[in-house]
Amino acid sequence: MTHMPGAQHFSSASAPVHLTSVQSMGMVFQIAGSSSKVLIDAQRLALLEQDEDPCTAMAGQVGSQVKMRVGNSWLVASVRAMTLDQASKGIVADIDFLGEGDEEKLTGRIYRFRRGVTRYPTPGTDIFPVSGHDMGQIYAADDRANVEIGTVYPTTDTRAALYVDSMLGKHFALLGSTGTGKSTSAALILHRICDLSPQGHIVMIDPHGEYGAAFATNGAVFDVNNLALPYWLMNFEEHCEVFVTSSGSERTVDCDILAKCLLAARTKNRLAESIGRLTVDSPIPYLLSDLTTILQNEMGKLDKGTNSLPYMRLKTKIDEIKADPRYSFMFSGMLVADTMQAFLAKIFRLPSDGKPISIIDVSAMPSDITSTVVSVLSRLVFDYAIWARDEPQRPILLVCEEAHRYIPNTTTGNGQAVRKILERIAKEGRKYGVSLGLITQRPSDLAEGVLSQCGTIISMRLNNDRDQAFVKAAMPEGARGFLDSIPALRNREAIICGEGVAVPIRVALDNLEEHRRPASGDPSFTELWRQSGSEADILERTITRWRNQGR
């Protein structure tokens, strides 16, 4: 191989091309299906590092791209690992093939890049650095609807685009340890989608109350004060989660009694007369007082020797919930009217009126009912999609923050209704036009198989080894070189691979305007601990809110 002293330029018919990028930097010496090995000249690598083009300067390093000519095409590969070959003093690198593009005759540059490889190179084929212009071609968005979310690493101007239809059509997951900028990245992606589709339909479960402020201008925010979720929309399984307190064989008895009395209570509604086959799951309004009266009457019919405890347990729990003001957003006596149409229109943004996203803030709800609320909302999304199959389609995106809470990998304990419905959406949702977006910091705690149902994975830095292993298992083969850099990502950087991008990419995400960011910044202890004064007022106001449960 020849070596050039410095990075001189020569001019061609187009823009100046760096001479360093025209010269070979090594050769292919072993070929296998997805992964192969190349030999890189160490002196040549040192020379390339001085190039003005950041992509050419990075060439040959882990995470960078190299190209090789096969026939009339350029083959592009990503460098995964490097070792020093003691015998030749050259560098042996493992590469993963990303795709191929045609060669522009005049300049030798890449154009019309596509994923996949039709022809592999033979050992001895020269390899070259990939320039910034090449990167622009490789990552250029095609004609499909897309949103730009950041800059492709290591370039300074190549924009990273997400293909919205492909990403939402096959679900997506956004992963990252606490403090890596996960909430801001989620807000950035959702803002971009809202800007692209102001008539869209997005429902977001927000367990910490972070996103309300971020979407104040282009979304509707619902919390305990204005959600008004009617309790009768719950199906039988969700009723059992809320009203049945016992376990074991007693639970089965209690559930059977509840099923019988609940069906009787639903039957009392005038709507029930027009319905042929009423079931315990039918979303028909009923009065809680009717349910307790029916329980009382059934208890009165019992023989002396029969145990009345199950009836007492159910009645006590229902009365307790009715009397507790924390539950009034759902179990209020005001929610008995048939408001199903108005409720669905409000939550699913039908019509959206330029505010396509509903933020459901569940942070102030009692913790023992949160999973049931999420279950009801997720099931309404899925059931609506099933029963609206013959109507003009209105696809819905359901985004679940802290997803490991609701789809845990345990099949025991509370909150199984929400796990079942979210797993079902992950498996079947796309047939009916329901997309699922999962945001979590603990992918290893998610139910098995859910992550592999996500066609696009956006991974920020993950510090835990188990989490990294889970993500690697869920990602496609060609992205492995990128995955090794997950622990080394900076804040607000992500590896994206799957359906939503043309080829796997590492992206420095855009900054979001201050007023569109979620309220999730870490407090500065040193700064806040310098402030003092008006503590008595702070305590008084806080205790008032505490005692009134936020009302």
Side-chain angles (χ1 to χ4, degrees):
M1 277 177 239
T2 53
H3 299 297
M4 309 292 302
Q8 302 150 351
H9 300 89
F10 76 87
S11 71
S12 74
S14 66
V17 177
H18 295 274
L19 209 61
T20 46
S21 65
V22 189
Q23 272 200 295
S24 161
M25 57 186 279
M27 64 172 185
V28 176
F29 84 91
Q30 184 186 317
I31 284 290
S34 61
S35 166
S36 306
K37 289 185 190 297
V38 294
L39 191 62
I40 300 172
D41 184 333
Q43 289 172 285
R44 190 85 189 92
L45 203 57
L47 194 62
L48 285 170
E49 284 172 5
Q50 298 158 25
D51 200 282
E52 294 165 21
D53 179 347
C55 297
T56 306
M58 269 281 294
Q61 297 178 23
V62 171
S64 70
Q65 277 83 35
V66 292
K67 63 182 178 179
M68 57 215 77
R69 195 184 273 111
V70 180
N72 294 328
S73 300
W74 278 114
L75 219 55
V76 178
S78 161
V79 178
R80 175 155 44 112
M82 303 169 82
T83 22
L84 183 67
D85 180 39
Q86 295 294 348
S88 68
K89 295 297 178 200
I91 294 166
V92 177
D94 290 329
I95 58 168
D96 295 313
F97 290 113
L98 293 174
E100 61 188 10
D102 298 334
E103 182 181 1
E104 208 172 78
K105 285 286 172 278
L106 205 58
T107 59
R109 288 169 167 167
I110 296 173
Y111 73 104
R112 279 219 309 254
F113 182 82
R114 55 213 169 263
R115 201 187 265 192
V117 176
T118 28
R119 238 174 100 191
Y120 285 100
T122 49
T125 304
D126 282 341
I127 61 166
F128 299 90
V130 166
S131 68
H133 182 274
D134 292 336
M135 290 286 273
Q137 283 296 313
I138 293 168
Y139 295 112
D142 55 30
D143 300 337
R144 292 179 286 167
N146 64 77
V147 291
E148 292 184 352
I149 56 160
T151 312
V152 178
Y153 176 87
T155 69
T156 50
D157 56 358
T158 302
R159 301 293 288 152
L162 282 175
Y163 297 117
V164 178
D165 293 335
S166 303
M167 181 173 96
L168 301 187
K170 296 203 172 77
H171 313 312
F172 70 93
L174 171 58
L175 319 166
S177 296
T178 310
T180 53
K182 201 166 63 275
S183 305
T184 317
S185 308
L188 169 74
I189 293 167
L190 291 173
H191 271 303
R192 295 279 193 269
I193 292 173
C194 290
D195 295 345
L196 179 74
S197 310
Q199 299 303 320
H201 311 282
I202 305 172
V203 179
M204 180 175 204
I205 309 294
D206 175 11
H208 300 304
E210 294 174 340
Y211 293 90
F215 291 93
T217 54
N218 58 349
V221 184
F222 301 103
D223 57 14
V224 287
N225 299 315
N226 65 344
L227 180 63
L229 170 64
Y231 57 87
W232 47 264
L233 282 175
M234 293 192 293
N235 66 10
F236 174 58
E237 189 178 4
E238 289 148 1
H239 270 91
C240 290
E241 278 193 359
V242 181
F243 291 154
V244 178
T245 50
S246 52
S247 57
S249 57
E250 286 182 345
R251 187 175 180 84
T252 317
V253 174
D254 290 11
C255 288
D256 289 347
I257 292 168
L258 180 60
K260 190 170 139 194
C261 299
L262 181 59
L263 185 60
R266 289 204 199 271
T267 315
K268 289 192 157 209
N269 193 302
R270 275 208 316 274
L271 275 170
E273 293 163 17
S274 59
I275 293 168
R277 285 184 58 234
L278 187 71
T279 71
V280 72
D281 286 334
S282 303
I284 299 292
Y286 70 90
L287 290 166
L288 282 171
S289 53
D290 279 349
L291 182 57
T292 48
T293 309
I294 292 164
L295 277 165
Q296 189 85 43
N297 294 344
E298 288 295 315
M299 200 162 48
K301 293 179 193 168
L302 294 176
D303 301 333
K304 283 275 189 320
T306 316
N307 188 0
S308 63
L309 257 179
Y311 294 90
M312 287 305 294
R313 275 197 297 263
L314 285 167
K315 188 173 176 300
T316 308
K317 183 65 181 174
I318 295 166
D319 289 341
E320 194 180 293
I321 284 175
K322 266 169 66 179
D324 191 332
R326 293 176 307 156
Y327 294 93
S328 61
F329 72 92
M330 189 170 176
F331 292 94
S332 154
M334 311 299 286
L335 298 173
V336 288
D338 180 14
T339 51
M340 190 167 175
Q341 184 171 339
F343 182 76
L344 294 185
K346 172 176 88 170
I347 297 299
F348 299 163
R349 316 304 303 139
L350 295 165
S352 62
D353 297 326
K355 292 191 168 189
I357 185 166
S358 287
I359 305 290
I360 317 286
D361 175 0
V362 296
S363 59
M365 293 175 188
S367 56
D368 56 349
I369 202 170
T370 312
S371 72
T372 309
V373 171
V374 178
S375 173
V376 174
L377 293 167
S378 310
R379 191 178 46 75
L380 288 174
V381 169
F382 190 64
D383 285 355
Y384 168 78
I386 287 178
W387 296 113
R389 266 178 303 187
D390 300 334
E391 300 295 330
Q393 239 192 336
R394 299 283 185 270
I396 298 173
L397 165 60
L398 175 66
V399 183
C400 201
E401 170 74 271
E402 296 277 356
H404 57 275
R405 284 192 192 182
Y406 305 117
I407 325 177
N409 50 17
T410 55
T411 48
T412 53
N414 295 336
Q416 290 306 305
V418 67
R419 178 177 179 269
K420 282 180 198 163
I421 185 60
L422 288 173
E423 278 191 321
R424 193 171 173 201
I425 291 174
K427 286 176 188 143
E428 304 169 33
R430 63 196 183 90
K431 297 180 209 163
Y432 304 109
V434 177
S435 177
L436 187 61
L438 301 176
I439 305 170
T440 178
Q441 60 208 14
R442 295 304 310 268
S444 59
D445 288 349
L446 279 176
E448 211 174 331
V450 169
L451 206 55
S452 52
Q453 300 281 348
C454 295
T456 306
I457 292 182
I458 303 162
S459 178
M460 306 186 78
R461 189 174 68 250
L462 287 165
N463 303 328
N464 184 297
D465 290 346
R466 267 185 71 219
D467 291 334
Q468 289 166 26
F470 252 72
V471 177
K472 283 184 186 177
M475 277 193 177
E477 282 279 307
R480 287 210 176 138
F482 287 89
L483 293 182
D484 295 335
S485 58
I486 284 179
L489 291 174
R490 295 176 299 205
N491 280 4
R492 318 236 28 260
E493 263 193 347
I495 303 279
I496 308 177
C497 71
E499 303 288 335
V501 283
V503 283
I505 45 175
R506 178 172 169 179
V507 180
L509 293 157
D510 289 341
N511 272 323
L512 201 53
E513 301 91 327
E514 191 69 46
H515 69 281
R516 299 182 110 186
R517 283 184 208 162
S520 60
D522 296 330
S524 164
F525 284 79
T526 47
E527 206 172 294
L528 294 172
W529 280 352
R530 285 197 200 105
Q531 302 169 11
S532 67
S534 68
E535 276 80 2
D537 295 342
I538 294 173
L539 279 169
E540 188 183 336
R541 289 193 298 268
T542 304
I543 290 167
T544 305
R545 275 197 299 274
W546 197 337
R547 285 181 172 151
N548 293 326
Q549 296 296 325
R551 284 169 194 286

